[in-house]
Amino acid sequence: MNADGRNADGRNADGSSAVGAYADDATIRRILEDTGDTWAVVGLSNNSSRAAWGVAQVLQRFGKRVVPVHPKAETVHGEQGYASLAEIPFPVDVVDVFVNSELAGAVADEAVAAGAKAVWFQLGVVDPDAFGRTRAVGLDMVMDRCPAIEIPRLGARA
């Protein structure tokens, strides 16, 4: 049981698995304010109609370095892109995941292997097993949340 009342897999003490249990305010704030400033955004491309594009802009305004991760390895918002997390030649603090839930668990595992400190699954991206694995190795993680919403909601500071 964690200090926040959840088991290592993110489930509540009674075994329930409400998505809200995967995104407590203390963890969100810690990732936004204390975990580091280099965020790999998996799924970020130059397609300005995609949510990742706008969220990356918000993260940059919040003082984060945004590293695009997409098969096309495009430069986005002035930052060099990479085809995979493994190709990034410098440490990444947070991996922000904009892929569908069926693919997200593998990305969380790659984030752990790459030495990230935290994993953030965007709105609609949920994989309880990945959450459990990631938390079990000591990384902070949230699911089904968006930093562009959470930054103003919490009054977070860069």
Side-chain angles (χ1 to χ4, degrees):
M1 183 81 52
N2 296 323
D4 58 11
R6 294 188 318 238
N7 297 312
D9 68 356
R11 298 184 193 287
N12 297 321
D14 66 2
S16 64
S17 61
V19 172
Y22 298 116
D24 64 275
D25 285 354
T27 301
I28 292 168
R29 185 177 296 282
R30 187 168 48 252
I31 292 171
L32 290 172
E33 295 181 350
D34 303 327
T35 300
D37 292 332
T38 303
W39 285 50
V41 181
V42 178
L44 175 57
S45 71
N46 275 315
N47 184 344
S48 62
S49 67
R50 304 286 300 191
W53 194 87
V55 170
Q57 278 191 318
V58 170
L59 287 168
Q60 283 184 322
R61 285 194 303 267
F62 189 63
K64 305 301 182 188
R65 178 182 184 189
V66 172
V67 181
V69 179
H70 189 278
K72 294 180 182 178
E74 299 173 316
T75 297
V76 183
H77 301 310
E79 289 287 345
Q80 168 64 48
Y82 297 90
S84 70
L85 289 172
E87 293 180 21
I88 300 173
F90 48 83
V92 169
D93 300 309
V94 180
V95 175
D96 190 1
V97 182
F98 279 91
V99 300
N100 66 44
S101 296
E102 292 77 27
L103 302 173
V107 176
D109 295 339
E110 291 170 22
V112 170
K117 299 174 189 169
V119 177
W120 189 297
F121 281 9
Q122 282 293 325
L123 291 173
V125 181
V126 176
D127 182 335
D129 293 334
F131 183 90
R133 289 191 311 270
T134 304
R135 292 291 300 261
V137 297
L139 274 67
D140 276 333
M141 183 170 179
V142 298
M143 292 194 305
D144 197 31
R145 299 290 180 174
C146 178
I149 294 169
E150 299 301 326
I151 290 166
R153 184 182 72 82
L154 293 175
R157 303 174 321 277

